[in-house]
Amino acid sequence: MSAIVPRSDFSLLSANPALVYLDSAATAQKPRAVLDAMNDFYETDYANPHRGAYALSARATERYARAREAVARFFGVRDEACVIFTRGTTDSLNVVAAAWGRANIGAGDEVIVTGAEHHANFVPWQQIAIERGAIFTICPLTADGRADVEVLAALVSEKTKVIAFNHVSNVLGAINPVAEIAAIARSVGALSVCDGAQGAPHMAVSFDALDVDIYAASAHKMLGPMGTGVLIGRREILDAMPPYQTGGDMIAFVGDEQTTWNVLPHRLEAGTPNVAGAVGLAAACDYLTAIGMDAVAAHERALVKVAHERVSAIEGVRVHGPSAAERSGVLSFTVADIHPHDLATLLDERSICIRAGHHCAQPLMRRLGVTATARASFYVYNDENDVEQLVEALKSAKRLFAVA
Ligand code: PMP
């Protein structure tokens, strides 16, 4: 099984032919098309958008607007004003928890998250619940790490104001039934907030079809730049959300006593925007669309299937999470008697990059009964040889530790 994009599209990968990069769930490598688009903005159309009456500034404004259109297309959002550029998933989720949460969650209300959330979709909700005197409830998981929707449906009540959940778990690769959870939230008038950091890079996402209220993603996990992300929301929710920060183009009029706000999307984007970041994300969206998101998902599924079979066949290895057919391209595992950090260090000696630790998901680690796992994650530039090298390196690590 070959990669579905040429390795030569990625300067870092072609400069390091021996590198086995299996950490795309943390951050993905960048194709030249993304770097070129960002560079081109700096070299040809660079100025502060919105605020200049001169042609160059108008061109920068235009680049920013076109980037938003491309990103809206990728995420299946008809109304591009509902795509807000942020610094990333963490930023997007914090904005919603702070701005929407403060305005809509009161004492005695309930906030629900799942036990498989990344800290970025757990802590902001936990903290706003503490601040507002609300009840913070953790929805249990099925054995394979998805939100248990039967329990969730029984848990919710008219007190429930928010259900925050991941599209795909960054630890287990388990895929949540997003539309089903959104429907449960809607049945009690709660806000559904989907952390799409591990969804958007790996499968076709249609915001309109998923039917959630809020969807968040990070550019850097989907071949785009660091420091950029999106907060996508239904218009009536974003329109009613108080501004999170003030200043810059989010202002309509500043009086001595009162200030009025600009319309969406500007109202939720205070300060000079990260235009190059948006341009880079748009280029990444176009690059992924040219491959086809169904092809991306199928490729990862095929790789993770082989990896799942081969890795779990090694004695003493425990693979966490769902069966290969039901997961995206993430494989978390623990190896008896070898700490995940030691494993990652040994693999690094063979130029294999995997992640080890709690993956910013300590509540999930507790539920799995471990303190850390090793995680290999796959993307468009990985091939079966990468899986082979991972398997060989794991076997070698086991031999080494057996002798020690
Ligand atoms: N949620 C999930 C599921 C993630 O995997 C990550 C990144 N590890 C985040 C949120 C946070 O993303 P970022 O650091 O880009 O804000």
Side-chain angles (χ1 to χ4, degrees):
M1 198 181 316
S2 337
I4 52 170
V5 292
R7 204 170 157 103
S8 58
D9 277 5
F10 296 77
S11 306
L12 188 144
L13 297 178
S14 23
N16 298 281
L19 191 73
V20 177
Y21 189 74
L22 297 177
D23 198 21
S24 296
T27 198
Q29 295 300 330
K30 316 301 164 207
R32 202 164 289 127
V34 167
L35 305 178
D36 286 351
M38 294 173 74
N39 222 20
D40 181 65
F41 165 66
Y42 281 122
E43 286 180 349
T44 63
D45 291 332
Y46 182 75
N48 200 319
H50 304 314
R51 280 164 229 162
Y54 51 93
L56 185 60
S57 172
R59 287 215 300 279
T61 309
E62 179 59 25
R63 290 285 292 255
Y64 193 45
R66 270 195 277 131
R68 197 184 308 274
E69 282 162 23
V71 173
R73 239 184 348 264
F74 181 84
F75 282 92
V77 184
R78 261 164 303 168
D79 182 356
E80 75 240 17
C82 294
V83 173
I84 311 299
F85 286 116
T86 64
R87 289 191 300 121
T89 306
T90 304
D91 193 32
S92 302
L93 295 167
N94 272 277
V95 167
V96 180
W100 188 94
R102 215 159 272 149
N104 291 283
I105 300 168
D109 285 341
E110 183 186 40
V111 172
I112 302 182
V113 302
T114 87
E117 295 315 302
H118 187 281
H119 296 162
N121 201 29
F122 191 98
V123 182
W125 298 112
Q126 180 194 55
Q127 294 302 306
I128 199 74
I130 293 170
E131 182 187 313
R132 306 300 298 166
I135 301 155
F136 183 65
T137 302
I138 303 174
C139 172
L141 306 173
T142 58
D144 58 11
R146 286 171 295 116
D148 190 326
V149 284
E150 273 176 37
V151 176
L152 182 65
L155 265 180
V156 294
S157 70
E158 74 284 355
K159 283 191 176 308
T160 311
K161 292 291 174 265
V162 179
I163 302 179
F165 59 100
N166 63 66
H167 189 171
V168 176
S169 158
N170 63 313
V171 177
L172 303 173
I175 304 167
N176 265 323
V178 177
E180 220 176 308
I181 298 174
I184 294 172
R186 200 172 319 110
S187 72
V188 290
L191 188 79
S192 53
V193 179
C194 184
D195 169 355
Q198 302 292 344
H202 305 292
M203 59 193 68
V205 168
S206 165
F207 175 75
D208 290 341
L210 284 177
D211 227 10
V212 282
D213 295 324
I214 299 285
Y215 194 87
S218 295
H220 71 94
K221 293 183 196 284
M222 46 191 292
L223 308 177
M226 282 180 168
T228 299
V230 287
L231 160 56
I232 299 170
R234 287 203 294 114
R235 181 178 265 279
E236 56 277 28
I237 287 156
L238 297 181
D239 264 334
M241 200 160 96
Y244 172 66
Q245 290 186 321
T246 51
D249 209 49
M250 59 76 65
I251 301 288
F253 174 77
V254 180
D256 285 353
E257 268 85 43
Q258 273 304 333
T259 295
T260 56
W261 316 128
N262 199 347
V263 293
L264 289 175
H266 315 293
R267 201 168 66 77
L268 294 172
E269 292 182 359
T272 298
N274 178 1
V275 179
V279 166
L281 172 56
C285 288
D286 290 346
Y287 184 91
L288 285 168
T289 301
I291 306 165
M293 288 311 290
D294 289 340
V296 171
H299 176 65
E300 287 179 25
R301 191 151 293 177
L303 277 181
V304 88
K305 181 169 183 289
V306 179
H308 195 288
E309 277 164 16
R310 305 281 321 270
V311 170
S312 54
I314 303 171
E315 210 196 311
V317 173
R318 177 178 164 212
V319 172
H320 302 275
S323 73
E326 288 171 307
R327 67 166 72 213
S328 81
V330 176
L331 197 73
S332 263
F333 50 92
T334 36
V335 182
D337 302 328
I338 312 182
H339 192 279
H341 283 137
D342 292 335
L343 204 56
T345 305
L346 282 173
L347 265 58
D348 185 43
E349 283 171 13
R350 295 176 170 228
S351 300
I352 302 173
C353 311
I354 64 161
R355 190 141 292 246
H358 54 59
H359 314 291
C360 295
Q362 289 178 11
L364 176 58
M365 293 292 117
R366 285 194 291 280
R367 283 158 180 78
L368 294 175
V370 295
T371 51
T373 72
R375 181 187 72 185
S377 51
F378 304 95
Y379 211 7
V380 286
Y381 33 69
N382 292 117
D383 59 16
E384 205 164 336
N385 180 49
D386 294 336
V387 176
E388 278 310 309
Q389 301 220 39
L390 170 71
V391 170
E392 282 316 306
L394 290 178
K395 287 181 178 164
S396 157
K398 279 215 62 187
R399 281 195 297 273
L400 195 76
F401 269 76
V403 172

